[in-house]
Amino acid sequence: MDGNAIDVTNSHGNLCPDEEWQTRVRLAACYRIIAHLGWGEMIFNHITMRLPGPQIHFLINAFGLLPQEVTASSLVKIDLEGNVVDPGPWPVNRAGFVIHSALHAGRADAHCIIHTHTTAGMAVAQQRDGLVPGNFYSGLMHSRVGYHDFEGSVVHDDEKPRLVASLDAKNLLILRNHGLIACGPTIDEAFFQMWLLQRACEAQIAAQMTGAPLIPISNSVLGAHDDAVKQTIKKDGEEDDMPALAKAVFAAMMREVDRADRSYAN
């Protein structure tokens, strides 16, 4: 097994197809990585992933479990309305799926959606100017982040079209006064996008806490910065290779949580 490979052996035999089991293991690992990084919000946040196949089904964490308690077998299969597809012992927080159901339905390529309430993310979300291009990571994010105005806790279906419109074609969304969202076609890419946004928020808040004057990045440098980073991950004949970079990052983080506890694969 190479350095980026992940052992996702289906230890549950015929209880689910191998492709679904692999998705379960990787999603459970993502929950453990979120916990490892300190991004967890007790039992209240969710990461969802669409399952392979023609049916529109998703995996979500069982309500009541901490992210460090999530396992492949405890993930619950639901439909686009948040209804449980395969009845079992684990409950689901349907209200917590409203954001996810809106974006999954509105963006066919948003197979994985991560929503967090980190301190740095919430701090930036309540700032009038949002994420400002002042550090290495926010310089990369400046044109890749959408914003959605706060309408209260997202529990009403009539907000869904506005959420989708706010995200538009981007993969990152700052919910004003609320938190952060990242999405992508794979778990790897959604996680890496969230990591970049989280680091940008952390650096911004840390710099603002010094009280010293801050140096903004000029528009001309922002373009050059974006081009330079793409060059570092470019493959011959392609614009960039972000999916491969995201895969390597996620594999590295899986190795990190593996060293502590691999029970997520159960």
Side-chain angles (χ1 to χ4, degrees):
M1 186 164 59
D2 64 44
N4 288 334
I6 300 163
D7 182 6
V8 289
T9 303
N10 186 349
S11 60
H12 280 224
N14 294 323
L15 292 181
C16 69
D18 283 345
E19 197 171 8
E20 176 180 329
W21 182 251
Q22 292 170 13
T23 304
R24 285 176 171 272
V25 171
R26 294 179 68 83
L27 184 58
C30 191
Y31 276 97
R32 297 297 181 97
I33 292 168
I34 295 298
H36 174 77
L37 292 171
W39 297 355
E41 186 79 352
M42 293 185 65
I43 64 172
F44 299 112
N45 287 137
H46 307 287
I47 311 169
T48 53
M49 179 65 192
R50 181 173 176 173
L51 284 166
Q55 294 179 307
I56 303 178
H57 291 159
F58 304 87
L59 294 175
I60 192 171
N61 54 313
F63 190 54
L65 293 183
L66 297 166
Q68 58 266 37
E69 295 176 317
V70 172
T71 63
S73 56
S74 72
L75 289 164
V76 183
K77 188 189 299 186
I78 57 177
D79 63 19
L80 198 52
E81 301 303 318
N83 301 307
V84 177
V85 174
D86 295 330
W90 303 104
V92 172
N93 178 15
R94 291 191 68 214
F97 187 61
V98 172
I99 292 174
H100 296 255
S101 64
L103 300 182
H104 280 304
R107 278 277 301 277
D109 61 328
H111 291 175
C112 181
I113 296 172
I114 302 174
H115 175 40
T116 64
H117 287 170
T118 62
T119 300
M122 292 178 73
V124 169
Q126 62 185 285
Q127 295 186 8
R128 188 176 304 277
D129 294 333
L131 189 68
V132 296
N135 64 69
F136 184 93
Y137 293 114
S138 63
L140 289 176
M141 302 288 103
H142 73 284
S143 63
R144 303 180 184 181
V145 180
Y147 291 85
H148 180 72
D149 289 339
F150 189 59
E151 301 183 24
S153 183
V154 187
V155 295
H156 301 295
D157 286 344
D158 65 356
E159 189 175 352
K160 288 182 176 182
R162 294 188 291 278
L163 270 168
V164 174
S166 296
L167 180 64
D168 195 24
K170 297 179 172 66
N171 287 324
L172 293 168
L173 186 65
I174 292 180
L175 301 174
R176 293 191 184 276
N177 309 100
H178 186 164
L180 309 178
I181 288 177
C183 64
T186 65
I187 296 170
D188 309 21
E189 291 173 76
F191 169 77
F192 188 46
Q193 293 281 348
M194 178 60 80
W195 184 84
L196 290 170
L197 181 56
Q198 173 67 20
R199 289 292 293 133
C201 292
E202 290 171 349
Q204 178 168 316
I205 297 304
Q208 291 171 334
M209 288 176 64
T210 68
L214 304 180
I215 305 171
I217 301 175
S218 68
N219 288 334
S220 60
V221 173
L222 285 173
H225 179 44
D226 193 40
D227 289 342
V229 171
K230 284 183 177 180
Q231 288 295 324
T232 67
I233 57 175
K234 187 176 181 181
K235 291 177 70 175
D236 291 340
E238 297 182 7
E239 180 181 354
D240 63 58
D241 193 28
M242 186 63 77
L245 180 59
K247 182 178 180 180
V249 168
F250 192 76
M253 291 308 302
M254 284 193 73
R255 295 194 299 272
E256 180 73 7
V257 296
D258 278 356
R259 283 188 281 270
D261 178 11
R262 204 175 183 280
S263 61
Y264 66 83
N266 295 334

